[in-house]
């Protein structure tokens, strides 16, 4: 994992370097990755994971995996387990540093009582609509709630009743008492607690009030002694509130520092758990780990190596301005990594039969083939050869142009690892379609390499009688537009779902890969990188297209 040790230099490391020099935060670096377990994590989260865990490694600090599980109706343990698994698969070890915001609910409650006692929080009975109306707008100041001046005793009493479940959902909330005329709307007496009579995956039925993100997050960071609390740019305007809450509590150690960076966006896909959930719920895709999904589990199943995702995350770096990264850039890192680690194999995706007329009927030969042309340590495998083989339909042309470097009548080509063959004859059906190509082979060319002898090209092939039928899932991007911003307001993003994002093909594979382990990486010669699907079996092998061999030119 050399990439993990690569040092980053960016505006965040500049801040940390300065903090360490000034001995701020007692000279420590403690970060956290704080997912809400309301879905599977995606490549945007992967970027945040690489950043937070990467900084901890770089500075000999720690990074906590903390579930920000404050919204029980949308969260569950399936999501918790998937996220734990995905973080580990990405290559990061949170060790014992696994936390749940819900473990702090008692402490948060006590801190809220402290604010009430200081006259800095109050129970407000305005309805949802009324408080919206009181909130004002970006240009119009808000109005004080009529409940703002309740006495401390009354507030303590009401808040306790809220906690004890004596009030209906939506009937009241606890709000911080800050400033209804602040130019920052986040500071206009934000809600700290709402009533939600919901079952929580961790605390079960203990609570019927749940903390809001802004209130909870800073306290979670404080309790865990986080030094640098890194989040995405949309929280920049929340930072004064983050600080206000911590500054107004009596705390006995340093106050974590919120730092914002631009979130990752990638062309032709969606990075938002809410939208990804819609694709799953409305059956646009099969599951959260459908290989088209930009989720970590989807990318894993698609065949993206974890190291490639880390390299990508490192290469895009962190910045202060939002941008859209082309998915081709991610694919570049996938190819780079797979070129090193993928075993080579021969697979015919669109077969046409080829008969070698001068090869004995019942004979077969098994050739040794290297699994990687440059890596002897990856070993060899046996490939069967016989009189009838399949080649790709588009590797033959009856009337070729001068630029066609494959098989045509009268031309000689090399069959990879086998022999040179020359096309002598074609068999057609009654409609004139070619159903069989007839060739003769040159027995002196065994192994396929004859120094100094020029052929039109080299083809991959599989022996017809040894070939195993398999399914190849040919994937492409899930959106037909680059960005959600390209979608008109009156349209749904699902209107732009790419209906051709999965094309299933029956193909013929060489027998050596028919019982490959799920998640094995392959380069199907001349066809692309593929990965054995998790549902693949010896009886029915399934391979997922990870990425093409080259970036397509017709963009
Ligand atoms: P989503 O809208 O997809 O649910 P989120 O930010 O609400 O995203 P969380 O589970 O709350 O999801 O996020 C956990 C962490 O991941 C946060 O620190 C968040 O800032 C970060 N994160 C989420 N999306 C991205 C992204 N696209 N790029 C970088 N970081 C991200
Ligand atoms: Mg969220």
């Amino acid at each position: 994992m050399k990439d993990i040790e690569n040092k980053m230099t960016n505006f965040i490391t500049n801040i940390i370097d300065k903090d360490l020099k000034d001995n701020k935060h007692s000279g420590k670096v403690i970060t956290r990755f704080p997912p809400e377990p309301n879905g599977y994590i995606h490549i945007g989260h992967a970027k945040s994971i690489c950043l937070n865990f990467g900084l901890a490694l770089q500075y000999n600090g720690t990074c906590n995996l903390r579930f920000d599980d404050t919204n029980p109706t949308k969260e569950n343990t399936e999501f918790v387990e998937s996220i734990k698994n995905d973080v580990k698969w990405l290559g990061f070890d949170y060790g014992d540093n696994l936390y749940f915001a819900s473990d702090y609910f008692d402490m948060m409650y006590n801190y809220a009582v402290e604010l009430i006692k200081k006259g800095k929080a109050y129970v407000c009975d305005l309805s949802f609509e009324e408080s919206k109306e009181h909130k004002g707008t970006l240009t119009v100041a808000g109005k004080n709630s009529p409940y703002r001046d309740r006495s401390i005793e009354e507030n303590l009493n009401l808040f306790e009743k809220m906690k004890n479940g004596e009030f209906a959902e939506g009937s009241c909330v606890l709000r911080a008492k800050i400033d209804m005329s602040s130019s920052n709307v986040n500071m206009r007496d934000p809600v700290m607690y709402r009533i939600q009579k919901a079952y929580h995956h961790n605390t079960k039925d203990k609570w019927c009030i749940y903390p809001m993100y802004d209130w909870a997050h800073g306290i979670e960071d404080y309790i865990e002694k986080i030094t640098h609390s890194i989040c995405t740019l949309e929280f920049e305007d929340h930072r004064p509130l983050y600080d206000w809450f911590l500054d107004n509590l009596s705390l006995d150690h340093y106050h974590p520092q919120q730092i914002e960076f631009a979130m990752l966006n990638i062309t032709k896909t969606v990075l938002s758990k809410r939208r990804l959930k819609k694709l799953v719920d409305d059956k646009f895709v099969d599951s959260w780990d459908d290989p088209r999904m930009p989720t970590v589990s989807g990318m894993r199943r698609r065949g993206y190596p974890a190291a490639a995702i880390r390299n990508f995350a490192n290469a895009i770096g962190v910045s202060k301005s939002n941008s859209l990264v082309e998915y081709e850039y991610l694919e570049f890192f996938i190819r780079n990594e797979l070129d090193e680690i993928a075993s080579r194999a021969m697979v015919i995706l669109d077969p046409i039969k080829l008969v070698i007329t001068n090869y004995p009927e019942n004979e077969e030969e098994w050739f040794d083939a290297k699994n990687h042309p440059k890596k002897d340590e990856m070993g060899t495998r046996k490939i069967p050869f016989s009189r009838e083989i399949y080649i790709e339909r588009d590797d033959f042309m009856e009337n070729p142009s001068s630029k066609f470097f494959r098989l045509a009548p009268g031309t000689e080509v090399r069959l990879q690892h086998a022999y040179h063959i020359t096309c002598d004859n074609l068999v057609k059906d009654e409609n004139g379609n070619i159903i069989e190509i007839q060739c003769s082979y040159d027995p002196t060319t065994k192994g396929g390499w004859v120094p100094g002898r020029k052929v039109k090209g080299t083809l991959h092939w599989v022996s017809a009688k040894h070939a195993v039928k398999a399914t190849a899932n040919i994937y492409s991007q899930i959106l037909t537009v680059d960005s959600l911003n390209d979608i008109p307001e009156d349209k749904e993003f699902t209107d732009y779902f790419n209906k051709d994002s999965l094309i299933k093909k029956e193909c013929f594979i060489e027998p050596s890969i028919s019982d490959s382990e799920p998640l094995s990486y392959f380069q199907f010669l001349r066809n692309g990188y593929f990965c054995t699907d998790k549902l693949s079996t010896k009886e029915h092998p399934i391979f997922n297209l990870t990425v093409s061999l080259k970036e397509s030119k017709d963009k």
Side-chain angles (χ1 to χ4, degrees):
M1 296 213 189
K2 263 203 283 110
D3 57 286
I4 286 187
E5 289 152 27
N6 283 348
K7 279 207 160 35
M8 328 175 217
T9 309
N10 52 47
F11 77 93
I12 300 179
T13 61
N14 292 345
I15 295 174
I16 297 177
D17 289 338
K18 180 165 188 310
D19 290 347
L20 288 175
K21 200 159 139 256
D22 298 346
N23 202 33
K24 197 172 165 183
H25 312 305
S26 318
K28 287 190 281 196
V29 176
I30 306 175
T31 56
R32 86 286 174 262
F33 171 64
E36 189 189 346
N38 61 349
Y40 283 57
I41 52 173
H42 52 64
I43 187 151
H45 299 107
K47 173 175 174 165
S48 174
I49 291 168
C50 292
L51 176 62
N52 282 295
F53 281 89
L55 288 171
L57 283 168
Q58 182 163 333
Y59 288 97
N60 250 323
T62 42
C63 178
N64 296 346
L65 172 59
R66 179 211 308 149
F67 287 96
D68 204 355
D69 53 350
T70 55
N71 195 1
T73 55
K74 298 209 165 109
E75 299 161 1
N76 66 45
T77 47
E78 176 196 344
F79 297 143
V80 170
E81 292 310 315
S82 76
I83 294 171
K84 282 174 21 187
N85 187 33
D86 287 348
V87 171
K88 285 188 223 154
W89 178 77
L90 279 170
F92 298 102
D93 180 13
Y94 49 83
D96 295 332
N97 304 312
L98 172 67
Y99 300 99
F100 290 84
S102 52
D103 287 339
Y104 312 140
F105 282 171
D106 282 298
M107 281 186 262
M108 284 178 202
Y109 180 81
N110 292 337
Y111 282 127
V113 168
E114 181 187 331
L115 284 190
I116 295 174
K117 285 184 177 160
K118 287 177 168 166
K120 291 180 176 178
Y122 62 98
V123 175
C124 178
D125 299 351
L126 288 180
S127 69
F128 180 74
E129 285 72 29
E130 286 167 332
S131 45
K132 229 169 117 182
E133 189 249 318
H134 274 71
K135 186 133 196 166
T137 64
L138 284 178
T139 48
V140 178
K143 284 184 295 194
N144 283 354
S145 159
Y147 306 99
R148 201 173 196 261
D149 295 318
R150 278 176 161 157
S151 70
I152 289 173
E153 285 64 40
E154 190 183 2
N155 280 319
L156 286 172
N157 184 280
L158 290 171
F159 187 46
E160 185 164 359
K161 287 189 167 152
M162 267 175 78
K163 181 188 80 158
N164 292 340
E166 294 181 31
F167 301 132
E169 280 187 15
S171 62
C172 55
V173 293
L174 184 74
R175 296 174 71 175
K177 195 192 264 191
I178 310 181
D179 179 5
M180 287 308 289
S181 59
S182 172
S183 56
N184 182 342
V185 288
N186 296 306
M187 301 298 275
R188 294 183 189 168
D189 291 9
V191 175
M192 294 166 61
Y193 276 95
R194 68 222 187 276
I195 298 171
Q196 230 175 338
K197 300 197 168 163
Y199 178 84
H200 187 282
H201 74 97
N202 197 13
T203 58
K204 320 274 186 248
D205 290 314
K206 173 168 175 187
W207 295 91
C208 58
I209 54 172
Y210 289 94
M212 303 301 287
Y213 176 90
D214 284 319
W215 163 241
H217 207 81
I219 295 182
E220 295 159 21
D221 286 342
Y222 169 76
I223 292 171
E224 292 175 16
K225 298 201 167 85
I226 300 302
T227 56
H228 300 87
S229 172
I230 298 163
C231 61
T232 43
L233 228 44
E234 69 274 22
F235 290 101
E236 197 163 24
D237 292 341
H238 296 240
R239 186 169 3 116
L241 181 56
Y242 180 97
D243 289 335
W244 187 93
F245 281 132
L246 292 175
D247 289 340
N248 282 281
L249 292 168
S250 312
L251 303 179
D252 55 14
H253 63 257
Y254 59 80
H255 166 156
Q257 177 180 359
Q258 179 180 305
I259 302 171
E260 309 85 15
F261 74 103
M263 64 160 53
L264 170 64
N265 281 300
I266 297 187
T267 54
K268 293 202 160 51
T269 190
V270 280
L271 295 188
S272 127
K273 281 182 257 158
R274 183 174 57 80
R275 292 199 176 87
L276 294 172
K277 184 170 190 307
K278 185 165 175 65
L279 293 180
V280 178
D281 291 348
D282 294 359
K283 308 235 173 345
F284 284 92
V285 297
D286 295 333
S287 54
W288 282 97
D289 71 347
D290 185 300
R292 285 167 286 184
M293 294 281 269
T295 51
V296 173
S297 57
M299 293 190 290
R300 174 169 61 235
R301 189 169 169 193
R302 175 94 177 247
Y304 287 13
I309 297 173
R310 294 194 299 264
N311 286 331
F312 168 73
N314 252 332
I316 52 177
V318 289
S319 86
K320 271 282 187 190
S321 55
N322 283 317
S323 64
L324 189 61
V325 176
E326 295 196 348
Y327 77 87
E328 290 90 342
Y329 191 49
L330 170 60
E331 291 191 336
F332 166 84
F333 288 92
I334 308 300
R335 273 187 206 104
N336 264 357
E337 186 67 22
L338 288 175
D339 183 36
E340 297 286 319
I341 62 174
S343 295
R344 275 47 176 174
M346 295 205 285
V347 171
I348 301 298
L349 294 178
D350 185 15
I352 184 161
K353 189 181 265 186
L354 187 153
V355 178
I356 300 158
T357 50
N358 59 340
Y359 194 86
E361 290 254 0
N362 293 318
E363 193 155 315
E364 61 182 53
E365 286 176 83
W366 290 74
F367 295 110
D368 282 317
K370 279 189 180 183
N371 289 331
H372 193 293
K374 293 187 214 126
K375 297 198 165 180
D376 290 345
E377 66 275 20
M378 285 177 67
T380 60
R381 65 191 188 283
K382 297 266 183 209
I383 300 179
F385 182 75
S386 63
R387 182 182 155 92
E388 294 193 359
I389 64 173
Y390 294 114
I391 64 166
E392 299 287 353
R393 188 170 293 276
D394 68 1
D395 274 342
F396 179 81
M397 246 180 131
E398 191 174 3
N399 300 302
S401 69
S402 61
K403 297 228 170 64
F404 187 74
F405 294 107
R406 288 166 273 170
L407 190 63
T411 66
E412 187 179 47
V413 296
R414 173 188 304 115
L415 293 176
Q416 179 81 32
H417 304 303
Y419 292 103
H420 290 189
I421 53 167
T422 304
C423 174
D424 310 314
N425 195 20
L426 299 174
V427 181
K428 297 185 178 178
D429 65 12
E430 61 271 23
N431 301 319
N433 299 314
I434 302 169
I435 51 172
E436 186 179 302
I437 303 166
Q438 296 185 339
C439 295
S440 48
Y441 84 117
D442 177 350
T444 67
T445 57
K446 187 166 176 173
W449 267 111
V450 183
R453 180 148 152 191
K454 276 222 160 91
V455 288
K456 268 285 182 187
T458 302
L459 308 189
H460 61 283
W461 52 274
V462 292
S463 161
K465 83 169 171 219
H466 301 92
V468 176
K469 265 203 180 138
T471 300
N473 291 323
I474 308 298
Y475 292 112
S476 43
Q477 295 306 108
I478 46 178
L479 286 194
T480 56
V481 285
D482 273 347
S483 153
L484 295 178
N485 298 333
D486 300 338
I487 295 179
E489 287 214 352
D490 58 336
K491 295 276 190 186
E492 273 274 353
F493 82 97
T494 46
D495 296 336
Y496 294 82
F497 181 81
N498 178 7
K499 293 192 183 62
D500 295 324
S501 53
L502 167 59
I503 295 170
K504 283 184 184 286
K505 275 196 169 172
E506 289 305 311
C507 62
F508 288 116
I509 62 175
E510 60 168 81
S512 73
I513 66 167
S514 64
D515 62 347
S516 57
E517 289 284 313
L519 299 189
S520 303
Y521 302 128
F522 292 105
Q523 185 194 97
F524 289 176
L525 289 190
R526 303 173 65 228
N527 271 326
Y529 291 101
F530 283 77
C531 173
T532 317
D533 189 62
K534 71 169 191 186
L535 301 177
S536 183
T537 59
K538 192 169 169 49
E539 292 65 44
H540 186 190
I542 307 170
F543 295 91
N544 298 327
L545 172 65
T546 309
V547 65
S548 58
L549 290 178
K550 294 202 180 86
E551 186 174 325
S552 103
K553 286 178 208 76
D554 44 52
K555 272 182 39 191

